Amino acid sequence: MILRALPRTAASALAALSMAGVALAGTAGSAAAATGGGCTGPASRQACVSLIDDGGRGGDILFEARSDWPEAGGDCRMRLVAFDDTTGWQWERELRRCDRPVDQHYNLPNPTAGHRYRAELQILPNGKNFEFAEFVKSPVLTY
């Protein structure tokens, strides 16, 4: 009698453990921890990258470039460029005048775990090419 009940009890215990494991795996979600990121540059010219958390389920990467530099001159142009240093992908905003306040953003949905993201504020003093260009680069954010 005891020998017959033992396999049944063991099977019930294994089934219960399996169900508990499935329940735990189902609540784990797809959240990825992000490290690094932040802003770099003086208050008049900043590049930033950060994670917008959506309640523990991951989030989007926010790239930002901000500038308030009235003494820059009318020829100067600047723009935000977003980078994924892991793949070489980049996305650029349009060039804007430096002597007017600039606040450019780009939101990257569904970032890839393990990738390294950064923002860059590109400043072209002559407005046309990269001669004498200044680059303000954010710290790297690893997703």
Side-chain angles (χ1 to χ4, degrees):
M1 197 66 130
I2 292 177
L3 292 176
R4 285 188 196 167
L6 194 55
R8 235 181 265 155
T9 304
S12 294
L14 282 174
L17 283 173
S18 296
M19 294 297 259
V22 168
L24 284 175
T27 60
S30 61
T35 59
C39 295
T40 300
S44 61
R45 298 178 296 280
Q46 287 192 331
C48 306
V49 64
S50 59
L51 176 67
I52 304 171
D53 190 8
D54 67 355
R57 292 180 301 275
D60 297 347
I61 304 294
L62 177 63
F63 301 89
E64 298 177 273
R66 295 187 287 263
S67 173
D68 190 7
W69 194 21
E71 64 275 4
D75 289 338
C76 181
R77 299 290 184 267
M78 61 178 53
R79 69 177 167 201
L80 165 67
V81 181
F83 290 94
D84 179 343
D85 288 340
T86 306
T87 63
W89 169 88
Q90 72 181 47
W91 181 88
E92 301 171 356
R93 290 290 309 246
E94 70 279 358
L95 288 168
R96 292 280 179 88
R97 289 180 60 148
C98 298
D99 60 347
R100 297 181 181 153
V102 173
D103 190 5
Q104 294 182 326
H105 300 80
Y106 176 68
N107 187 27
L108 175 67
N110 303 316
T112 305
H115 283 223
R116 297 167 47 86
Y117 299 100
R118 68 180 167 87
E120 185 174 278
L121 174 60
Q122 295 179 346
I123 302 166
L124 310 162
N126 63 11
K128 300 178 212 163
N129 56 40
F130 288 93
E131 186 177 0
F132 309 114
E134 180 183 346
F135 303 97
V136 180
K137 300 177 181 185
S138 74
V140 173
L141 183 142
T142 303
Y143 185 74

